[in-house]
Amino acid sequence: RRLLDLALQQTFEIRTEAFLGPDAGFVRQWRYLAPLDDPDGGGLDRAYFAEPAVELDRAFPGKGGKEIRWTALDSPTPGVYYHEMFEHVHQAVAYAATAVESPAEQAVEIRTGSDDGIKVWVNGKEVFRNKVTRGASVDQDRFPATLAKGWNTILVKVDQGGGAWSFYFRIVDGQGKGVKLGVDPAKAR
């Protein structure tokens, strides 16, 4: 069953990239912090640290009391798949942080997909929240944001009930084309 799920996921990603093209605006470089315990399903609204501030050098108590740290991820695919990193994790929360460099202040559209709920901050401002139980696919959610000139911190929080656990994140212009941005997770603040 697991091999079939992986094969279907890879087929979906190949078709997604072929359809959207290589410049689709997917953000693939992140620092993630996971898994964090969410025994009552309220993790999307619970602050596990002084969110939305990102402290990449700190350790935090993770699920089961295990110490966890922000870990670098350069995803070879359009999605971030926590269920591949942490098998059989239920009732949990994960954060992902990065920084994108914009050549000028600009209005953009952020498109996400998540399994399960998702919350997004840009430069410390919450720009989106969707408390939902679902499987992830590309562009499930679309919302506006403004990037400042220079480096912009992005923080994504995804909760997990059970089963698969993942998210997609891309930044596009008004026509849905990927915006060219520098990406450096180490600059997230």
Side-chain angles (χ1 to χ4, degrees):
R1 172 86 177 132
R2 178 112 172 103
L3 289 175
L4 177 60
D5 287 345
L6 290 173
L8 290 172
Q9 178 179 308
Q10 288 174 345
T11 301
F12 170 75
E13 289 173 352
I14 291 167
R15 288 184 177 164
T16 298
E17 293 227 282
F19 176 71
L20 294 174
D23 298 324
F26 285 103
V27 176
R28 297 172 185 248
Q29 290 128 343
W30 299 92
R31 295 278 176 97
Y32 70 87
L33 182 69
L36 295 143
D37 201 20
D38 182 18
D40 62 2
L44 204 61
D45 296 316
R46 179 180 304 115
Y48 290 83
F49 54 89
E51 65 183 36
V54 177
E55 299 173 85
L56 295 176
D57 296 329
R58 277 197 53 210
F60 298 89
K63 193 160 179 69
K66 180 182 173 191
E67 181 180 277
I68 59 174
R69 296 188 166 275
W70 291 94
T71 304
L73 174 67
D74 190 355
S75 179
T77 66
V80 173
Y81 304 106
Y82 295 117
H83 59 272
E84 291 180 357
M85 295 179 245
F86 309 103
E87 287 192 46
H88 309 297
V89 172
H90 305 286
Q91 301 304 114
V93 168
Y95 289 90
T98 196
V100 296
E101 186 178 28
S102 178
E105 181 174 307
Q106 61 180 313
V108 297
E109 183 176 83
I110 296 176
R111 296 184 180 183
T112 64
S114 62
D115 183 347
D116 290 310
I118 187 168
K119 196 181 231 185
V120 178
W121 295 264
V122 175
N123 293 326
K125 178 183 174 192
E126 184 180 321
V127 295
F128 185 74
R129 179 188 181 282
N130 190 4
K131 177 74 172 151
V132 64
T133 301
R134 65 181 179 193
S137 64
V138 174
D139 295 355
Q140 288 171 306
D141 304 306
R142 299 171 182 212
F143 50 93
T146 301
L147 298 179
K149 179 179 181 179
W151 288 100
N152 297 264
T153 295
I154 296 172
L155 180 64
V156 177
K157 184 179 192 179
V158 178
D159 68 358
Q160 157 69 340
W165 184 20
S166 60
F167 76 94
Y168 297 93
F169 190 98
R170 63 190 198 112
I171 302 173
V172 300
D173 63 19
Q175 287 72 45
K177 295 188 186 213
V179 176
K180 300 268 190 230
L181 301 166
V183 179
D184 185 351
K187 293 188 181 297
R189 302 286 174 253

